Amino acid sequence: MHLKLGWLYPTLMGTYGDRGNVICLEKRAQWRDITVEIIKLDQDAALETWSEVDLIVGGGAQDRQQEIVMRDLQGAKAEKFKALIEADVPGVFTCGSPQLLGKYYEPAVGQRIDGLGILDLVSKHPGFEAQRCIGNVAFEITANPLAENLAKKLGYKAVALGFENHGGRTYLGDVQPLGKVLTGYGNNGEDGWEGAFYKQAIATYAHGPLLPKNPFIADWLLEKALERKYQEEIIFSPLDDQLAVQARKTMFNRLNLSELNNSA
Ligand code: GLN
């Protein structure tokens, strides 16, 4: 089997280490003898390149870079990106990426950045004098069918761990939150929700990177991408994730969530 992994503007949207999500997906596929081709979806990518991808990863960025990306992600490219998400191409989008998948992002300074309108959400940066949302985050995944799929595979409710670093606050419209905040800020530090989930696209503020900290999400993305591409059910055998399990237990203890160690 073979997967084409699209990486959104890796140079501009790589500020917060989310390339780790690309590496995690690539290795977890290769460890299962699935070949992976990484395709940069950036200013130089031809439109037909976008059509080929089976899975998309988008990382975080500073406001300035987000504005540059949106100047390029217009017209046919924007329409193609929307069509991919609507056609159930799985993806994981972190922080600055989901802000651009929403209706708009109002940065700390400068004009409102119109988004792609794929996700029914808006994001607003309250200004540099406001507390920045920085720190560890833990959240119970509640969005379906993702939560149901993960609970069936894991045998318990999935809890995701990550690290936040954002000034923007996100407010959801008619779209599922990805999860319920257990500790940390989440979308805005007010409504208790983290991220968003639409079709097979995961939007989150959790860097870390997200996927090495939560390998079950990486496997979900890979399985869904392969199922969609090969039109057959894909059920992975587990990998040896003992290092991730130990790291998760350490974080649950550090965050006073040791009762979740069975979710490690
Ligand atoms: N620049 C955006 C904000 O500050 C996104 C930050 C990020 O991607 N971590 O909210």
Side-chain angles (χ1 to χ4, degrees):
M1 288 183 156
H2 180 74
L3 275 178
K4 292 190 176 187
L5 195 164
W7 189 3
L8 274 184
Y9 298 85
T11 303
L12 286 167
M13 303 200 80
T15 311
Y16 299 87
D18 300 308
R19 74 173 49 235
N21 288 336
V22 174
I23 297 168
C24 181
L25 288 165
E26 181 183 37
K27 297 310 287 181
R28 295 184 75 84
Q30 290 171 340
W31 292 333
R32 293 171 166 119
D33 298 325
I34 299 160
T35 56
V36 178
E37 178 185 354
I38 295 171
I39 297 172
K40 291 183 179 181
L41 300 177
D42 58 13
Q43 303 93 316
D44 303 324
L47 189 59
E48 53 273 12
T49 306
W50 288 71
S51 306
E52 298 167 4
V53 299
D54 304 309
L55 179 56
I56 306 173
V57 175
Q62 292 157 296
D63 290 4
R64 174 95 180 83
Q65 281 74 13
Q66 289 172 255
E67 195 268 329
I68 296 169
V69 167
M70 283 315 292
R71 273 194 246 139
D72 182 69
L73 192 44
Q74 299 289 328
K77 265 189 192 178
E79 292 311 309
K80 174 55 68 180
F81 187 10
K82 287 180 193 175
L84 292 172
I85 301 297
E86 292 296 338
D88 285 331
V89 171
V92 55
F93 303 99
T94 311
C95 205
S97 288
Q99 290 176 343
L100 300 181
L101 269 66
K103 290 182 175 178
Y104 61 78
Y105 173 49
E106 291 178 354
V109 291
Q111 299 295 312
R112 174 187 287 189
I113 303 169
D114 288 332
L116 296 168
I118 298 172
L119 301 178
D120 185 4
L121 59 86
V122 299
S123 303
K124 303 174 186 179
H125 194 307
F128 292 126
E129 66 286 346
Q131 173 88 27
R132 191 168 174 84
C133 304
I134 297 177
N136 289 301
V137 61
F139 55 98
E140 179 189 325
I141 292 178
T142 56
N144 283 315
L146 173 62
E148 289 164 357
N149 296 166
L150 293 177
K152 183 178 175 186
K153 185 175 281 280
L154 296 169
Y156 47 79
K157 284 182 183 176
V159 173
L161 289 164
F163 190 85
E164 301 176 75
N165 184 343
H166 56 104
R169 275 66 169 172
T170 291
Y171 302 91
L172 304 182
D174 183 19
V175 64
Q176 285 192 88
L178 175 61
K180 182 173 59 177
V181 174
L182 301 175
T183 186
Y185 295 92
N187 286 340
N188 49 52
E190 299 160 29
D191 62 19
W193 296 117
E194 155 55 21
F197 184 80
Y198 176 67
K199 305 293 267 187
Q200 301 200 121
I202 293 171
T204 179
Y205 271 114
H207 300 290
L210 176 77
L211 298 184
K213 283 178 176 267
N214 308 279
F216 45 84
I217 300 177
D219 286 351
W220 184 87
L221 288 162
L222 291 169
E223 287 176 336
K224 293 305 166 191
L226 290 166
E227 285 179 352
R228 180 180 175 277
K229 182 169 187 172
Y230 293 101
Q231 293 294 304
E232 63 181 82
E233 188 181 33
I234 301 287
I235 300 176
F236 282 159
S237 301
L239 294 172
D240 177 2
D241 287 327
Q242 269 316 300
L243 279 179
V245 169
Q246 288 167 23
R248 287 170 60 82
K249 283 185 175 175
T250 299
M251 282 312 301
F252 282 134
N253 292 332
R254 188 181 303 175
L255 299 174
N256 298 316
L257 294 170
S258 53
E259 71 279 10
L260 294 175
N261 276 335
N262 70 317
S263 305

